């Protein structure tokens, strides 16, 4: 449960591998959410908009992660 939780939450927050391998790719086709938030904040200089994106992104990742933990805990109890 813990391993799956960490893997899932870290996969959403992927930034460094995406930057080093593709830099967002051709026409931003491989740009992940974390890179989009970074570019909004520091390239477009829209800090408030980037913060709003980051809060929404946090809520989505938290909801998915908590749902996954709940389902795995429920499955462990049944076994």
């Amino acid at each position: 449960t813990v391993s799956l939780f960490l893997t899932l939450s870290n996969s959403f927050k992927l930034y460094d591998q995406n930057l080093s391998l593709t830099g967002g790719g051709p026409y931003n086709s491989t740009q992940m959410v974390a890179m989009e938030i970074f570019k909004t904040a520091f390239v477009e200089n829209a800090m408030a908009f980037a913060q709003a994106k980051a809060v929404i992104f946090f809520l989505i990742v938290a909801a998915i992660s908590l749902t996954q933990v709940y389902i795995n805990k429920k499955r462990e109890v049944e076994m």
Side-chain angles (χ1 to χ4, degrees), residues 47-69:
M47 297 293 179
F49 190 52
Q51 182 63 33
K53 285 182 180 182
V55 169
I56 292 171
F57 179 56
F58 168 75
L59 293 175
I60 291 170
V61 171
I64 291 171
S65 297
L66 290 175
T67 303
Q68 176 265 324
V69 167

Side-chain angles (χ1 to χ4, degrees), residues 5-19 32-37 54 57-58 60-62 65:
F5 167 74
L6 291 173
T7 303
L8 182 66
S9 63
N10 285 334
S11 67
F12 281 111
K13 298 181 284 183
L14 184 71
Y15 176 77
D16 55 346
Q17 290 177 351
N18 192 7
L19 179 65
M32 301 292 281
V33 178
M35 185 175 281
E36 170 64 26
I37 292 170
F57 179 56
F58 168 75
I60 291 170
V61 171
S65 297

Side-chain angles (χ1 to χ4, degrees), residues 1-5 8 65-79:
T1 300
V2 173
S3 177
L4 189 59
F5 167 74
L8 182 66
S65 297
L66 290 175
T67 303
Q68 176 265 324
V69 167
Y70 173 75
I71 290 170
N72 279 352
K73 288 282 187 179
K74 188 173 161 184
R75 188 180 314 157
E76 286 178 4
V77 171
E78 290 176 357
M79 291 182 169

